[in-house]
Structure formats: structure tokens, C-alpha cells
Amino acid sequence: MLSALQRAVTQPATFFETESDDPSLGPPVVVVGLVAVAGILGSIPTVLAVNRALPAEAGLFAAIGFLFGSITAVIGPFVSWVIVVTLLFIGAVLAGGNGEFRDLFALVGWGFAPRIVVPLVGGVVAFLLLSGTNFSDPQQARRLSQMATTGTFGLVSQGVNAVMFVWAGWMWTHAIASTQNLTTRTAGVISGAVVVLQILVNVGLSLLSASLV
């Protein structure tokens, strides 16, 4: 599994060409599951920082928030997997591809491997931002929001996120080409469009959350 994952993230052209003959859903499910686990682990530093900043009587609310956050972290990557594959498949069909949806679904799951890094980096950034923050002070809350979006920490987090999206898109390009009988260039255009959409949505959600503080 580790050897296959290494080849998928570093040599997607040859890996997906071989894997497309009879792709298995098992390993991709594990990969997407690891993204979910990383999401839970990445939220722990935030929970610790918030617990330190909140009064003791608010501990229950923090625990409930962590529970719902964990559920979202587990479900989110799998929902994203379905959405991304659907968009890529529609793009492939419009471009004249004639491969199976199931084959593309399996190979695209491997492409979520770079996303494992994102919540871990995000967790560290969030911990650094939240440590020592007084949440009862509106000015500190607004300052924290600005740092998380347009400040250094926010730019680092968004930069890592964008790089991982592009890396995943590189992998998806070869997944599309291998399963949908399309050229690498055409597959790259389809994958690139989905990656750009994801980055725009991610940045948009960050700016929206900041504006609500």
C-alpha cells in the first residue's frame, strides 16, 4: 500500500496507466479515509487552544463542537470525492471521453493523498493563531480573523492548500487520461478547471467566514 501510494503521488502517469486495467476501490477508500483521520488530528490543536482560552463552564460546548467537527472531518472527504469525480466525469464526457465512471472514481481517490497534509498544517496554524486569544474581546476576534485570512499565517495556510490542490490535479489529470481515453492535455484542462474551482471556493469560504466575525 505504501509503495503504491508513493508511486501514485510521484509517478502518476505510469501508476494510473497500470492501475486503470482493473482499479480496486479498497486502497482509494483508505487514502480518503486517511484524509479524514488527518482532519480529526488537525483539529486537536485548535481544540486545545480554545479550551485554554474559554472559561471552565464552556467546556461542554467545546466538546460538542469537537464532536460535530470530527463528524464533518470524517464525512467531508468522502463527499468531496463524489463531487470531484462527478465534475471530472462530466468534463470527460463533454470532451469525448468514453471510459467507465467506476474506474475514474477509483483512481481519483488516490489523488486525495496530497490532501492529507492540509488539515495537519491547518491545525498547527490554527493553534498558533488561537493560543492566548481572548474570545470575549471583539477586537481580538477581528484581529484573529484578519490574520487567518490575509495575514502571514493565513497566506501560508492558503498557499499550502493551493499547492496540494494542484498536486492532486496533476494526479487526476493522469487518472482521467488513463480511464477516459483522452489526451493528457485535454485531461489537464478538465482537471485544472476543477482545481481552480476548488481553490476559489476554498478562498471564498475563508473570506466569508472572516467577514462574519
Side-chain angles (χ1 to χ4, degrees), residues 63-101:
I64 294 175
F66 176 68
L67 176 61
F68 280 102
S70 299
I71 294 174
T72 302
V74 170
I75 297 176
F78 290 96
V79 173
S80 180
W81 186 8
V82 173
I83 294 174
V84 166
V85 174
T86 301
L87 292 176
L88 293 176
F89 186 74
I90 291 173
V93 170
L94 293 176
N98 56 7
E100 296 291 332
F101 179 86

mmCIF file of all heavy atoms in Angstrom, residues 63-101:
data_model
loop_
_atom_site.group_PDB
_atom_site.id
_atom_site.type_symbol
_atom_site.label_atom_id
_atom_site.label_comp_id
_atom_site.label_asym_id
_atom_site.label_seq_id
_atom_site.Cartn_x
_atom_site.Cartn_y
_atom_site.Cartn_z
ATOM 1 N N ALA A 63 -16.593 20.594 23.756
ATOM 2 C CA ALA A 63 -16.622 19.157 23.466
ATOM 3 C C ALA A 63 -17.639 18.839 22.373
ATOM 4 O O ALA A 63 -17.371 18.033 21.477
ATOM 5 C CB ALA A 63 -16.963 18.379 24.738
ATOM 6 N N ILE A 64 -18.805 19.486 22.444
ATOM 7 C CA ILE A 64 -19.833 19.278 21.416
ATOM 8 C C ILE A 64 -19.328 19.775 20.058
ATOM 9 O O ILE A 64 -19.526 19.132 19.024
ATOM 10 C CB ILE A 64 -21.134 20.004 21.804
ATOM 11 C CG1 ILE A 64 -21.733 19.356 23.063
ATOM 12 C CG2 ILE A 64 -22.138 19.964 20.650
ATOM 13 C CD1 ILE A 64 -22.955 20.076 23.597
ATOM 14 N N GLY A 65 -18.652 20.921 20.075
ATOM 15 C CA GLY A 65 -18.089 21.456 18.843
ATOM 16 C C GLY A 65 -17.065 20.519 18.234
ATOM 17 O O GLY A 65 -17.032 20.325 17.010
ATOM 18 N N PHE A 66 -16.223 19.911 19.086
ATOM 19 C CA PHE A 66 -15.220 18.965 18.597
ATOM 20 C C PHE A 66 -15.893 17.735 18.012
ATOM 21 O O PHE A 66 -15.449 17.197 16.985
ATOM 22 C CB PHE A 66 -14.284 18.563 19.730
ATOM 23 C CG PHE A 66 -13.267 17.522 19.341
ATOM 24 C CD1 PHE A 66 -12.255 17.826 18.448
ATOM 25 C CD2 PHE A 66 -13.332 16.237 19.860
ATOM 26 C CE1 PHE A 66 -11.317 16.881 18.073
ATOM 27 C CE2 PHE A 66 -12.400 15.278 19.498
ATOM 28 C CZ PHE A 66 -11.398 15.606 18.605
ATOM 29 N N LEU A 67 -16.989 17.277 18.640
ATOM 30 C CA LEU A 67 -17.712 16.107 18.145
ATOM 31 C C LEU A 67 -18.273 16.362 16.754
ATOM 32 O O LEU A 67 -18.083 15.556 15.833
ATOM 33 C CB LEU A 67 -18.840 15.747 19.115
ATOM 34 C CG LEU A 67 -19.754 14.584 18.679
ATOM 35 C CD1 LEU A 67 -18.947 13.303 18.525
ATOM 36 C CD2 LEU A 67 -20.882 14.394 19.684
ATOM 37 N N PHE A 68 -18.952 17.484 16.596
ATOM 38 C CA PHE A 68 -19.518 17.806 15.288
ATOM 39 C C PHE A 68 -18.414 18.050 14.265
ATOM 40 O O PHE A 68 -18.547 17.683 13.089
ATOM 41 C CB PHE A 68 -20.427 19.038 15.394
ATOM 42 C CG PHE A 68 -21.798 18.727 15.921
ATOM 43 C CD1 PHE A 68 -22.128 19.001 17.237
ATOM 44 C CD2 PHE A 68 -22.756 18.139 15.101
ATOM 45 C CE1 PHE A 68 -23.398 18.714 17.729
ATOM 46 C CE2 PHE A 68 -24.025 17.846 15.589
ATOM 47 C CZ PHE A 68 -24.345 18.129 16.911
ATOM 48 N N GLY A 69 -17.330 18.675 14.717
ATOM 49 C CA GLY A 69 -16.201 18.898 13.812
ATOM 50 C C GLY A 69 -15.591 17.594 13.342
ATOM 51 O O GLY A 69 -15.192 17.460 12.183
ATOM 52 N N SER A 70 -15.514 16.615 14.241
ATOM 53 C CA SER A 70 -14.965 15.308 13.893
ATOM 54 C C SER A 70 -15.850 14.590 12.884
ATOM 55 O O SER A 70 -15.356 13.957 11.933
ATOM 56 C CB SER A 70 -14.802 14.452 15.154
ATOM 57 O OG SER A 70 -13.903 15.054 16.063
ATOM 58 N N ILE A 71 -17.161 14.687 13.093
ATOM 59 C CA ILE A 71 -18.098 14.056 12.158
ATOM 60 C C ILE A 71 -17.953 14.670 10.770
ATOM 61 O O ILE A 71 -17.919 13.969 9.751
ATOM 62 C CB ILE A 71 -19.550 14.210 12.661
ATOM 63 C CG1 ILE A 71 -19.739 13.410 13.968
ATOM 64 C CG2 ILE A 71 -20.545 13.740 11.601
ATOM 65 C CD1 ILE A 71 -21.084 13.614 14.616
ATOM 66 N N THR A 72 -17.837 16.000 10.731
ATOM 67 C CA THR A 72 -17.651 16.691 9.456
ATOM 68 C C THR A 72 -16.340 16.291 8.800
ATOM 69 O O THR A 72 -16.266 16.104 7.576
ATOM 70 C CB THR A 72 -17.669 18.212 9.674
ATOM 71 O OG1 THR A 72 -18.911 18.587 10.278
ATOM 72 C CG2 THR A 72 -17.508 18.949 8.353
ATOM 73 N N ALA A 73 -15.283 16.158 9.626
ATOM 74 C CA ALA A 73 -13.970 15.786 9.098
ATOM 75 C C ALA A 73 -13.994 14.394 8.485
ATOM 76 O O ALA A 73 -13.298 14.132 7.497
ATOM 77 C CB ALA A 73 -12.920 15.848 10.209
ATOM 78 N N VAL A 74 -14.793 13.501 9.039
ATOM 79 C CA VAL A 74 -14.870 12.131 8.532
ATOM 80 C C VAL A 74 -15.701 12.076 7.249
ATOM 81 O O VAL A 74 -15.317 11.442 6.261
ATOM 82 C CB VAL A 74 -15.473 11.196 9.601
ATOM 83 C CG1 VAL A 74 -15.781 9.825 8.991
ATOM 84 C CG2 VAL A 74 -14.518 11.045 10.768
ATOM 85 N N ILE A 75 -16.844 12.750 7.248
ATOM 86 C CA ILE A 75 -17.756 12.680 6.108
ATOM 87 C C ILE A 75 -17.267 13.540 4.941
ATOM 88 O O ILE A 75 -17.384 13.151 3.771
ATOM 89 C CB ILE A 75 -19.174 13.119 6.531
ATOM 90 C CG1 ILE A 75 -19.723 12.164 7.589
ATOM 91 C CG2 ILE A 75 -20.107 13.164 5.322
ATOM 92 C CD1 ILE A 75 -21.064 12.572 8.137
ATOM 93 N N GLY A 76 -16.703 14.703 5.271
ATOM 94 C CA GLY A 76 -16.338 15.685 4.259
ATOM 95 C C GLY A 76 -15.490 15.157 3.110
ATOM 96 O O GLY A 76 -15.836 15.375 1.931
ATOM 97 N N PRO A 77 -14.369 14.465 3.373
ATOM 98 C CA PRO A 77 -13.529 13.979 2.274
ATOM 99 C C PRO A 77 -14.252 13.018 1.336
ATOM 100 O O PRO A 77 -14.020 13.044 0.115
ATOM 101 C CB PRO A 77 -12.372 13.278 3.000
ATOM 102 C CG PRO A 77 -12.307 13.945 4.331
ATOM 103 C CD PRO A 77 -13.733 14.238 4.684
ATOM 104 N N PHE A 78 -15.135 12.188 1.878
ATOM 105 C CA PHE A 78 -15.855 11.237 1.028
ATOM 106 C C PHE A 78 -16.896 11.953 0.167
ATOM 107 O O PHE A 78 -17.096 11.595 -1.007
ATOM 108 C CB PHE A 78 -16.504 10.157 1.890
ATOM 109 C CG PHE A 78 -15.519 9.221 2.522
ATOM 110 C CD1 PHE A 78 -15.070 9.423 3.812
ATOM 111 C CD2 PHE A 78 -15.012 8.143 1.813
ATOM 112 C CE1 PHE A 78 -14.136 8.573 4.398
ATOM 113 C CE2 PHE A 78 -14.088 7.279 2.375
ATOM 114 C CZ PHE A 78 -13.647 7.497 3.669
ATOM 115 N N VAL A 79 -17.547 12.964 0.743
ATOM 116 C CA VAL A 79 -18.486 13.769 -0.051
ATOM 117 C C VAL A 79 -17.736 14.514 -1.149
ATOM 118 O O VAL A 79 -18.169 14.566 -2.302
ATOM 119 C CB VAL A 79 -19.242 14.767 0.860
ATOM 120 C CG1 VAL A 79 -20.097 15.717 0.015
ATOM 121 C CG2 VAL A 79 -20.112 14.023 1.858
ATOM 122 N N SER A 80 -16.578 15.068 -0.794
ATOM 123 C CA SER A 80 -15.745 15.764 -1.774
ATOM 124 C C SER A 80 -15.308 14.823 -2.887
ATOM 125 O O SER A 80 -15.274 15.212 -4.063
ATOM 126 C CB SER A 80 -14.522 16.364 -1.077
ATOM 127 O OG SER A 80 -13.697 17.039 -1.989
ATOM 128 N N TRP A 81 -14.979 13.594 -2.539
ATOM 129 C CA TRP A 81 -14.580 12.580 -3.522
ATOM 130 C C TRP A 81 -15.667 12.394 -4.567
ATOM 131 O O TRP A 81 -15.408 12.423 -5.780
ATOM 132 C CB TRP A 81 -14.285 11.275 -2.787
ATOM 133 C CG TRP A 81 -13.738 10.151 -3.610
ATOM 134 C CD1 TRP A 81 -13.328 10.196 -4.917
ATOM 135 C CD2 TRP A 81 -13.540 8.796 -3.186
ATOM 136 N NE1 TRP A 81 -12.876 8.964 -5.329
ATOM 137 C CE2 TRP A 81 -12.999 8.087 -4.289
ATOM 138 C CE3 TRP A 81 -13.754 8.125 -1.984
ATOM 139 C CZ2 TRP A 81 -12.682 6.726 -4.209
ATOM 140 C CZ3 TRP A 81 -13.442 6.775 -1.895
ATOM 141 C CH2 TRP A 81 -12.902 6.088 -2.994
ATOM 142 N N VAL A 82 -16.906 12.236 -4.104
ATOM 143 C CA VAL A 82 -18.032 12.028 -5.025
ATOM 144 C C VAL A 82 -18.230 13.246 -5.910
ATOM 145 O O VAL A 82 -18.433 13.121 -7.133
ATOM 146 C CB VAL A 82 -19.321 11.729 -4.224
ATOM 147 C CG1 VAL A 82 -20.527 11.673 -5.166
ATOM 148 C CG2 VAL A 82 -19.189 10.414 -3.463
ATOM 149 N N ILE A 83 -18.170 14.447 -5.313
ATOM 150 C CA ILE A 83 -18.387 15.677 -6.084
ATOM 151 C C ILE A 83 -17.297 15.863 -7.137
ATOM 152 O O ILE A 83 -17.581 16.169 -8.305
ATOM 153 C CB ILE A 83 -18.438 16.898 -5.145
ATOM 154 C CG1 ILE A 83 -19.674 16.816 -4.239
ATOM 155 C CG2 ILE A 83 -18.454 18.200 -5.950
ATOM 156 C CD1 ILE A 83 -19.728 17.899 -3.181
ATOM 157 N N VAL A 84 -16.041 15.678 -6.733
ATOM 158 C CA VAL A 84 -14.914 15.871 -7.645
ATOM 159 C C VAL A 84 -14.994 14.881 -8.806
ATOM 160 O O VAL A 84 -14.832 15.264 -9.981
ATOM 161 C CB VAL A 84 -13.569 15.714 -6.907
ATOM 162 C CG1 VAL A 84 -12.413 15.581 -7.895
ATOM 163 C CG2 VAL A 84 -13.326 16.901 -5.993
ATOM 164 N N VAL A 85 -15.252 13.619 -8.515
ATOM 165 C CA VAL A 85 -15.330 12.612 -9.581
ATOM 166 C C VAL A 85 -16.471 12.935 -10.537
ATOM 167 O O VAL A 85 -16.335 12.801 -11.757
ATOM 168 C CB VAL A 85 -15.517 11.199 -8.986
ATOM 169 C CG1 VAL A 85 -15.734 10.195 -10.101
ATOM 170 C CG2 VAL A 85 -14.326 10.801 -8.164
ATOM 171 N N THR A 86 -17.590 13.360 -9.993
ATOM 172 C CA THR A 86 -18.735 13.702 -10.847
ATOM 173 C C THR A 86 -18.386 14.837 -11.800
ATOM 174 O O THR A 86 -18.682 14.774 -13.002
ATOM 175 C CB THR A 86 -19.945 14.098 -9.981
ATOM 176 O OG1 THR A 86 -20.297 13.007 -9.117
ATOM 177 C CG2 THR A 86 -21.141 14.436 -10.863
ATOM 178 N N LEU A 87 -17.734 15.878 -11.277
ATOM 179 C CA LEU A 87 -17.339 17.009 -12.127
ATOM 180 C C LEU A 87 -16.323 16.575 -13.185
ATOM 181 O O LEU A 87 -16.427 16.963 -14.357
ATOM 182 C CB LEU A 87 -16.755 18.126 -11.263
ATOM 183 C CG LEU A 87 -17.730 18.838 -10.317
ATOM 184 C CD1 LEU A 87 -16.984 19.847 -9.444
ATOM 185 C CD2 LEU A 87 -18.833 19.534 -11.106
ATOM 186 N N LEU A 88 -15.355 15.774 -12.782
ATOM 187 C CA LEU A 88 -14.338 15.306 -13.726
ATOM 188 C C LEU A 88 -14.953 14.411 -14.797
ATOM 189 O O LEU A 88 -14.586 14.496 -15.980
ATOM 190 C CB LEU A 88 -13.237 14.544 -12.980
ATOM 191 C CG LEU A 88 -12.367 15.360 -12.020
ATOM 192 C CD1 LEU A 88 -11.396 14.447 -11.277
ATOM 193 C CD2 LEU A 88 -11.601 16.453 -12.759
ATOM 194 N N PHE A 89 -15.879 13.574 -14.397
ATOM 195 C CA PHE A 89 -16.510 12.660 -15.359
ATOM 196 C C PHE A 89 -17.366 13.436 -16.362
ATOM 197 O O PHE A 89 -17.351 13.139 -17.562
ATOM 198 C CB PHE A 89 -17.363 11.625 -14.623
ATOM 199 C CG PHE A 89 -17.927 10.561 -15.522
ATOM 200 C CD1 PHE A 89 -17.115 9.561 -16.034
ATOM 201 C CD2 PHE A 89 -19.272 10.565 -15.868
ATOM 202 C CE1 PHE A 89 -17.624 8.577 -16.870
ATOM 203 C CE2 PHE A 89 -19.799 9.589 -16.709
ATOM 204 C CZ PHE A 89 -18.972 8.594 -17.207
ATOM 205 N N ILE A 90 -18.103 14.435 -15.861
ATOM 206 C CA ILE A 90 -18.910 15.262 -16.763
ATOM 207 C C ILE A 90 -18.002 15.971 -17.764
ATOM 208 O O ILE A 90 -18.289 16.033 -18.966
ATOM 209 C CB ILE A 90 -19.740 16.289 -15.961
ATOM 210 C CG1 ILE A 90 -20.830 15.577 -15.162
ATOM 211 C CG2 ILE A 90 -20.362 17.330 -16.892
ATOM 212 C CD1 ILE A 90 -21.595 16.484 -14.222
ATOM 213 N N GLY A 91 -16.893 16.513 -17.256
ATOM 214 C CA GLY A 91 -15.938 17.164 -18.145
ATOM 215 C C GLY A 91 -15.377 16.213 -19.181
ATOM 216 O O GLY A 91 -15.225 16.570 -20.358
ATOM 217 N N ALA A 92 -15.086 14.969 -18.745
ATOM 218 C CA ALA A 92 -14.544 13.973 -19.676
ATOM 219 C C ALA A 92 -15.563 13.607 -20.745
ATOM 220 O O ALA A 92 -15.218 13.465 -21.924
ATOM 221 C CB ALA A 92 -14.123 12.725 -18.889
ATOM 222 N N VAL A 93 -16.808 13.449 -20.356
ATOM 223 C CA VAL A 93 -17.855 13.117 -21.325
ATOM 224 C C VAL A 93 -18.014 14.237 -22.348
ATOM 225 O O VAL A 93 -18.128 13.988 -23.558
ATOM 226 C CB VAL A 93 -19.199 12.856 -20.600
ATOM 227 C CG1 VAL A 93 -20.341 12.748 -21.605
ATOM 228 C CG2 VAL A 93 -19.111 11.582 -19.769
ATOM 229 N N LEU A 94 -18.028 15.481 -21.868
ATOM 230 C CA LEU A 94 -18.161 16.628 -22.771
ATOM 231 C C LEU A 94 -16.975 16.724 -23.734
ATOM 232 O O LEU A 94 -17.105 17.228 -24.846
ATOM 233 C CB LEU A 94 -18.281 17.923 -21.959
ATOM 234 C CG LEU A 94 -19.558 18.082 -21.128
ATOM 235 C CD1 LEU A 94 -19.505 19.366 -20.309
ATOM 236 C CD2 LEU A 94 -20.794 18.081 -22.035
ATOM 237 N N ALA A 95 -15.812 16.222 -23.287
ATOM 238 C CA ALA A 95 -14.608 16.267 -24.127
ATOM 239 C C ALA A 95 -14.492 15.049 -25.037
ATOM 240 O O ALA A 95 -13.519 14.916 -25.779
ATOM 241 C CB ALA A 95 -13.367 16.369 -23.250
ATOM 242 N N GLY A 96 -15.464 14.141 -24.961
ATOM 243 C CA GLY A 96 -15.454 12.972 -25.840
ATOM 244 C C GLY A 96 -14.893 11.715 -25.201
ATOM 245 O O GLY A 96 -14.635 10.732 -25.912
ATOM 246 N N GLY A 97 -14.714 11.717 -23.887
ATOM 247 C CA GLY A 97 -14.227 10.516 -23.208
ATOM 248 C C GLY A 97 -15.270 9.417 -23.195
ATOM 249 O O GLY A 97 -16.468 9.686 -23.254
ATOM 250 N N ASN A 98 -14.823 8.176 -23.115
ATOM 251 C CA ASN A 98 -15.770 7.052 -23.152
ATOM 252 C C ASN A 98 -15.429 5.973 -22.133
ATOM 253 O O ASN A 98 -15.725 4.799 -22.344
ATOM 254 C CB ASN A 98 -15.817 6.453 -24.558
ATOM 255 C CG ASN A 98 -14.440 6.010 -25.043
ATOM 256 O OD1 ASN A 98 -13.464 6.026 -24.284
ATOM 257 N ND2 ASN A 98 -14.365 5.607 -26.300
ATOM 258 N N GLY A 99 -14.816 6.372 -21.025
ATOM 259 C CA GLY A 99 -14.454 5.395 -20.005
ATOM 260 C C GLY A 99 -15.549 5.190 -18.977
ATOM 261 O O GLY A 99 -16.598 5.844 -19.021
ATOM 262 N N GLU A 100 -15.295 4.272 -18.051
ATOM 263 C CA GLU A 100 -16.260 3.944 -17.006
ATOM 264 C C GLU A 100 -16.138 4.913 -15.832
ATOM 265 O O GLU A 100 -15.036 5.297 -15.433
ATOM 266 C CB GLU A 100 -16.035 2.517 -16.502
ATOM 267 C CG GLU A 100 -16.275 1.436 -17.543
ATOM 268 C CD GLU A 100 -17.755 1.325 -17.902
ATOM 269 O OE1 GLU A 100 -18.606 1.655 -17.030
ATOM 270 O OE2 GLU A 100 -18.059 0.935 -19.043
ATOM 271 N N PHE A 101 -17.305 5.272 -15.266
ATOM 272 C CA PHE A 101 -17.330 6.149 -14.093
ATOM 273 C C PHE A 101 -16.633 5.479 -12.911
ATOM 274 O O PHE A 101 -15.886 6.126 -12.164
ATOM 275 C CB PHE A 101 -18.776 6.493 -13.715
ATOM 276 C CG PHE A 101 -18.899 7.367 -12.493
ATOM 277 C CD1 PHE A 101 -18.819 8.752 -12.609
ATOM 278 C CD2 PHE A 101 -19.097 6.813 -11.227
ATOM 279 C CE1 PHE A 101 -18.928 9.562 -11.484
ATOM 280 C CE2 PHE A 101 -19.209 7.611 -10.111
ATOM 281 C CZ PHE A 101 -19.124 8.996 -10.235
#
